[in-house]
């Protein structure tokens, strides 16, 4: 009774630690718990503040200054430092100045700066999306590997049960004098090999489960919940995947943004060769008036408004080199886009080919399982009729096990190939 209670308690505890999980739930955990992804989100927030900082260049510049000073006496002398005379000056002085400036035209520098900051924000967003795709794909790879190992364990367990039945049958024949002890020993060795393989699969799954739990920030045993139904062969044509990738793949989006950024940097370089126009206004309140002899102990105030124009003449022979450099950067960005598009095209074509190939491999393995099962049944019947050796039975059993394991791998291979295609296209 006590033994049954212990077994029941252990079963309940195990069930409580198991965590069934779908692919969507896996991605949600990656989104909320990935430290790498959180870092990318901070980068996006930082880039967004850069837009606000760039827009602030349109606001007027206001400057205020105030000072209090103690003045010394004024000394006047001839140019040959003779005939010196002193004049008393008011001891305390004060100064208050206000100045305002509003840029009217900056050669396009402000607009280019805002556009550049906006593109940097978009680039950070694409970087976040790319990192999200990478983290999802890495987690998915471990998730599918756990699923594959669990299915392989099931196949090995079924073969262990089958082997045990054969051992019992051979043991009965041995007791009847119809089989050799060596026949029993050979299948017992086969059983030990199967048990060792099962233990290796369980340990490997435990290692992957631990690593994935650490990445997702959870505890327990992950039980993947997904279907291996492959009745519908493929999804979309290669051309449809190619067209989709050209609009959704992060690599191509980064290349497009790189082109736009190079264009704005060229615009920014050209703006340095254009005049700057601004409205200016100022008011000054000072005292005493020290520009007269003797100084006048009075406060005086003056103000002005006007238009200021500034033109850097030296840019005609300095800035043109930077403009030429910016032109080269633009061509470089255009070439980078061409290279990225070519690489993406190759990656999509390869992934789509492997995706279609995975179905062929599954069909082949399914046929192999069918033939291996038929072969095993024939050899088993011949062995029971004493027309085949025990070595023939072991070979047939190994062929059957290998075919069943490969079929499990092929089914999961289709799922992996599909998600890899989505990953390359940027839609994972």
């Amino acid at each position: 009774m006590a033994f049954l209670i212990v077994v029941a308690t252990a079963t309940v505890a195990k069930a409580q630690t198991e965590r069934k999980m779908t692919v969507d739930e896996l991605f949600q955990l990656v989104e909320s718990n990935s430290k790498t992804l959180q870092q990318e989100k901070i980068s996006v927030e930082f880039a967004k503040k850069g837009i606000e900082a760039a827009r602030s260049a349109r606001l007027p510049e206001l400057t205020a200054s105030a000072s209090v000073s103690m003045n010394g006496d004024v000394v006047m002398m001839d140019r040959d430092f003779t005939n010196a005379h002193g004049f008393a000056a008011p001891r305390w002085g004060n100064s208050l100045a206000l100045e305002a400036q509003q840029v009217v035209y900056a050669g396009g520098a402000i607009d280019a700066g805002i556009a550049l900051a906006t593109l940097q924000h978009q680039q950070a967003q694409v970087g976040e999306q790319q990192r999200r795709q990478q983290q999802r794909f890495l987690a998915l790879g471990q998730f599918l590997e756990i699923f594959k190992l669990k299915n392989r364990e099931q196949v090995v367990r079924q073969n262990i049960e089958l082997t045990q039945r054969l051992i019992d049958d051979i043991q009965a024949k041995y007791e009847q004098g119809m089989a050799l002890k060596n026949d029993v020993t050979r299948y017992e060795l086969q059983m030990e090999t199967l048990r060792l393989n099962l233990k290796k699969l369980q340990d490997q799954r435990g290692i992957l489960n631990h690593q994935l739990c650490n990445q997702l920030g959870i505890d327990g045993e992950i039980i993947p919940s997904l279907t291996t139904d492959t009745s519908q062969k493929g999804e979309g044509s290669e051309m449809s995947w190619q067209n989709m990738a050209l609009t959704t793949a992060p690599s191509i989006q980064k290349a497009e943004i790189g082109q736009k950024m190079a264009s704005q940097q060229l615009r920014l370089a050209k703006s340095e060769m254009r005049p700057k126009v601004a409205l200016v206004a100022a008011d000054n309140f000072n005292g005493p008036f020290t520009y007269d002899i003797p100084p006048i102990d009075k406060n005086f105030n003056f103000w002005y408004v006007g238009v200021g124009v500034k033109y850097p003449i030296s840019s005609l022979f300095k800035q043109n080199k930077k403009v030429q450099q910016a032109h080269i950067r633009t061509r470089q960005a255009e070439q980078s886009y061409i290279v990225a598009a070519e690489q993406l095209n190759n990656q999509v074509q390869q992934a789509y080919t492997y995706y279609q190939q995975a179905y062929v491999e599954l069909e082949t393995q399914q046929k192999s399982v069918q033939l291996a099962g038929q072969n095993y049944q024939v050899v088993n019947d011949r062995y029971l009729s004493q027309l085949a050796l025990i070595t023939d039975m072991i070979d047939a059993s190994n062929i059957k096990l290998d075919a069943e394991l490969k079929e499990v791998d092929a089914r999961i291979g289709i799922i992996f190939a599909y998600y890899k295609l989505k990953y390359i296209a940027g839609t994972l």
Side-chain angles (χ1 to χ4, degrees):
M1 183 64 178
F3 175 75
L4 293 176
I5 294 175
V6 171
V7 172
T9 304
T11 303
V12 172
K14 180 180 179 181
Q16 288 176 345
T17 58
E18 290 182 351
R19 179 164 183 166
K20 290 187 177 181
M21 186 181 299
T22 64
V23 174
D24 289 338
E25 291 171 343
L26 174 72
F27 290 165
Q28 289 174 4
L29 287 171
V30 170
E31 184 71 26
S32 58
N33 296 328
S34 172
K35 297 179 179 62
T36 304
L37 195 55
Q38 295 301 321
Q39 183 180 7
E40 291 295 328
K41 290 180 179 180
I42 295 175
S43 298
V44 173
E45 184 179 355
F46 176 80
K48 186 177 181 180
K49 291 298 180 181
I51 300 176
E52 298 178 8
R55 286 175 177 169
S56 66
R58 288 176 172 169
L59 301 176
E61 293 185 9
L62 299 175
T63 304
S65 63
S67 65
V68 177
S69 60
M70 186 177 70
N71 303 320
D73 291 337
V74 178
V75 177
M76 180 179 290
M77 64 188 70
D78 294 338
R79 296 298 299 276
D80 59 358
F81 302 100
T82 60
N83 195 23
H85 300 280
F87 299 92
R91 283 291 173 259
W92 297 103
N94 56 270
S95 175
L96 176 63
L98 295 174
E99 184 176 352
Q101 179 173 301
Q102 174 64 61
V103 176
V104 177
Y105 177 73
I110 296 178
D111 291 338
I114 295 173
L116 197 58
T118 303
L119 290 171
Q120 288 171 345
H121 179 238
Q122 293 176 4
Q123 190 178 53
Q125 289 177 316
V126 173
E128 179 193 4
Q129 177 64 15
Q130 186 175 38
R131 185 68 67 181
R132 178 180 291 106
Q133 298 278 308
Q134 291 172 352
Q135 293 299 305
R136 285 183 173 186
F137 189 67
L138 289 174
L140 180 66
Q142 292 179 314
F143 183 78
L144 292 178
E145 186 67 20
I146 291 173
F147 187 56
K148 180 176 74 174
L149 291 172
K150 194 167 183 63
N151 286 339
R152 288 174 72 96
E153 289 174 29
Q154 183 64 26
V155 171
V156 173
R157 285 194 183 96
Q158 291 172 356
N159 279 269
I160 288 176
E161 293 175 1
L162 178 61
T163 303
Q164 185 61 54
R165 289 199 299 270
L166 286 172
I167 290 175
D168 293 340
D169 292 342
I170 297 172
Q171 183 68 36
K173 292 179 64 177
Y174 169 72
E175 293 174 355
Q176 296 172 5
M178 300 175 62
L180 300 174
K181 179 63 177 176
N182 188 46
D183 294 344
V184 179
T185 302
R186 283 174 180 256
Y187 254 97
E188 287 178 342
L189 289 174
Q190 178 81 355
M191 175 67 81
E192 292 304 316
T193 300
L194 288 172
R195 287 173 177 167
L196 177 60
N197 289 338
L198 179 61
K199 183 65 169 63
K200 287 181 177 180
L201 290 172
Q202 290 172 336
D203 290 344
Q204 188 176 356
R205 184 163 65 91
I207 292 172
L208 286 174
N209 186 85
H210 178 78
Q211 294 174 351
L212 185 56
C213 283
N214 275 344
Q215 182 179 351
L216 300 178
I218 60 175
D219 294 320
E221 180 184 358
I222 296 175
I223 307 297
S225 176
L226 67 162
T227 178
T228 57
D229 180 23
T230 56
S231 57
Q232 293 184 349
K233 185 175 180 180
E235 181 180 312
S237 64
E238 180 186 342
M239 184 58 64
S240 65
W241 282 98
Q242 292 283 7
N243 294 334
M244 182 191 304
L246 284 175
T247 58
T248 57
S251 59
I252 205 71
Q253 289 179 349
K254 277 190 171 182
E256 289 177 347
I257 294 174
Q259 283 184 301
K260 295 177 182 178
M261 290 180 67
S263 177
Q264 293 301 326
Q265 287 168 347
L266 174 60
R267 182 182 176 188
L268 199 60
K270 289 181 177 179
S271 70
E272 295 296 325
M273 302 179 67
R274 295 168 182 164
K276 309 297 185 293
V277 181
L279 299 176
V280 294
D283 185 86
N284 288 273
F285 182 82
N286 299 323
F289 188 82
T290 57
Y291 300 102
D292 198 0
I293 300 298
I296 302 173
D297 191 12
K298 299 284 186 179
N299 288 322
F300 66 99
N301 183 79
F302 68 94
W303 60 268
Y304 63 87
V305 293
V307 178
V309 179
K310 181 179 179 181
Y311 184 77
I313 299 176
S314 60
S315 66
L316 295 176
F317 54 86
K318 285 185 177 181
Q319 192 63 24
N320 59 339
K321 304 298 188 299
K322 292 185 179 180
V323 172
Q324 294 172 4
Q325 186 182 30
H327 275 294
I328 295 175
R329 187 184 292 112
T330 302
R331 297 204 311 270
Q332 184 182 31
E334 292 172 353
Q335 190 63 33
S336 296
Y337 176 83
I338 295 173
V339 172
E342 179 182 337
Q343 292 176 345
L344 180 62
N345 181 275
N346 290 336
Q347 291 171 353
V348 171
Q349 189 273 338
Q350 182 185 53
Y352 185 82
T353 301
Y354 286 157
Y355 180 40
Q356 299 301 314
Q357 185 184 68
Y359 281 95
V360 178
E361 183 175 357
L362 176 60
E363 292 173 358
T364 302
Q365 296 305 330
Q366 286 174 333
K367 187 65 176 178
S368 297
V369 169
Q370 180 183 355
L371 295 174
Q374 294 174 357
N375 177 68
Y376 177 84
Q377 189 61 46
V378 170
V379 174
N380 182 57
D381 293 341
R382 288 172 58 84
Y383 178 76
L384 294 177
S385 302
Q386 297 184 342
L387 298 175
L389 300 175
I390 187 67
T391 53
D392 297 330
M393 275 295 298
I394 293 175
D395 289 342
S397 178
N398 288 334
I399 291 172
K400 178 177 176 294
L401 174 62
D402 183 65
E404 290 172 345
L405 291 176
K406 287 182 177 179
E407 183 192 13
V408 169
D409 293 349
R411 285 185 178 277
I412 298 174
I414 291 177
I415 301 174
F416 180 78
Y418 172 68
Y419 280 111
K420 185 174 183 180
L421 185 56
K422 288 176 68 68
Y423 166 66
I424 292 175
T427 59
L428 184 60

